[in-house]
Amino acid sequence: MTQQPGTSPDSVGQAYDVFADAGATTALGGNIHVGYWDDDPGLPITEATDRLTDLVAARLDLRPDQRLLDVGCGNGLPALRIAGAHDVRVTGITVSHQQLAQADKEADGSDARDRVSFRFADAVDLPFDDGCFDGAWAIESLLHITDQTAALAEIRRVVRPGGRLVVTDLCQRQPFTGEDRTVLDGMLDVYEIAGINTPDEHRARLAEAGWQLLELTDIGEQVRASYGHAAAAFRTIAASLEAPAAEQISAAADLMDAFGKHPHAGYVLITAQRT
Ligand code: SAH
């Protein structure tokens, strides 16, 4: 994994607060993750992002009334969707105050309100008892965390034996080298990313943290269109802003485009179990 020095819960939270202020974290309908297209390339991005959430839910082996942890809950949409569809209880955590406020607002307008709660917490130091969750998921959050193994071990601590963890995350199919490094380094810098793992690094960190791997699939081609959608949305936002925010969001759009077009850019869907 390529490490970005200085990434911390504070710096990640502030980056998301800045993006939220600019309207960028609601640009794609509120989910802050890629869309998934299979045989229907015309599906709107807002529906494709919900489909990714549904892929995660399908792998959690959910039963009504189970208690789940959403590690890096963003604006709360995945938690509300999964709680509503599967009748489970979800606790979502984030390191962004803006997201926490937005997630509470989303919950207020949702039928799943009484099954979902959100709080400010760091994944490497969870304020929960051992084994108190039946399962957990982390959609595009681990990449922000400097010590991913520590976070995975901490998530394992709060999940009961037999419980599942589903992770989706960017991956480098092969390490970005030479001139391509500029794209990767730019992504790490602009999006406050600690590192983008290769599939083997994802496997190794899960194993180090004591998780048993059930499935790791690279769905990079099914999510690839997302980067172009996000870049276009960011450019529209940038056009309505003053400097320096406009330049910041434009640069973020350019990097998103370049990363999304790169053949080494993959995306993993992982299911693991606590033995
Ligand atoms: N999973 C959400 C949001 C993805 S954005 C969605 O799919 O819409 C990344 C999320 O990870 C943000 O909510 C951010 O606050 C969270 N995050 C990053 N580092 C974290 C940490 N150390 N502890 C908890 N959450 C973290």
Side-chain angles (χ1 to χ4, degrees):
M1 183 175 78
T2 322
Q3 201 80 9
Q4 172 80 357
T7 301
S8 69
D10 278 353
S11 67
V12 173
Q14 279 161 20
Y16 274 106
D17 288 349
V18 168
F19 269 83
D21 284 342
T25 52
T26 46
L28 298 177
N31 284 308
I32 313 174
H33 62 235
V34 297
Y36 180 89
W37 292 266
D38 203 349
D39 47 5
D40 43 6
L43 195 71
I45 175 82
T46 46
E47 287 175 40
T49 50
D50 279 341
R51 276 183 116 195
L52 187 92
T53 303
D54 295 344
L55 289 184
V56 169
R59 282 156 180 76
L60 282 165
D61 193 24
L62 299 169
R63 305 274 184 278
D65 287 328
Q66 281 187 331
R67 208 177 155 208
L68 279 300
L69 174 67
D70 179 1
V71 180
C73 62
N75 295 326
L77 267 61
L80 289 163
R81 183 172 176 86
I82 291 177
H86 298 275
D87 220 10
V88 292
R89 289 176 290 153
V90 183
T91 302
I93 61 159
T94 174
V95 291
S96 158
H97 293 287
Q98 293 276 17
Q99 286 182 350
L100 192 60
Q102 181 68 30
D104 282 334
K105 209 168 109 192
E106 298 284 353
D108 281 341
S110 156
D111 292 345
R113 201 320 150 232
D114 60 343
R115 311 189 72 77
V116 171
S117 65
F118 300 106
R119 64 192 283 182
F120 191 94
D122 180 2
V124 301
D125 185 17
L126 292 169
F128 306 114
D129 293 337
D130 293 2
C132 70
F133 292 101
D134 296 294
W137 74 83
I139 302 178
E140 293 177 37
S141 54
L142 286 180
L143 77 174
H144 290 296
I145 300 174
T146 303
D147 192 343
Q148 289 182 18
T149 304
L152 288 165
E154 181 66 348
I155 298 165
R156 184 178 177 277
R157 179 184 68 75
V158 301
V159 170
R160 65 163 168 79
R164 287 198 176 176
L165 168 66
V166 178
V167 172
T168 77
D169 217 334
L170 277 55
C171 77
Q172 299 185 61
R173 288 176 173 162
Q174 295 167 44
F176 282 61
T177 52
E179 284 185 13
D180 297 342
R181 243 344 273 216
T182 322
V183 174
L184 185 80
D185 287 342
M187 285 288 285
L188 302 189
D189 186 32
V190 167
Y191 293 101
E192 207 60 29
I193 294 173
I196 297 178
N197 291 333
T198 62
D200 277 348
E201 286 167 335
H202 277 293
R203 284 187 190 93
R205 297 199 198 305
L206 283 159
E208 281 162 22
W211 288 98
Q212 184 199 355
L213 184 67
L214 300 181
E215 177 205 3
L216 184 151
T217 311
D218 182 348
I219 56 169
E221 297 319 310
Q222 288 86 350
V223 310
R224 195 175 288 285
S226 313
Y227 301 99
H229 282 286
F234 288 1
R235 287 197 182 101
T236 304
I237 290 166
S240 68
L241 296 172
E242 308 279 314
E247 273 104 54
Q248 240 179 318
I249 304 279
S250 282
D254 291 347
L255 284 162
M256 188 69 90
D257 252 342
F259 184 79
K261 286 183 181 138
H262 202 289
H264 291 182
Y267 192 94
V268 285
L269 173 61
I270 300 172
T271 309
Q273 187 159 37
R274 177 168 178 183
T275 46

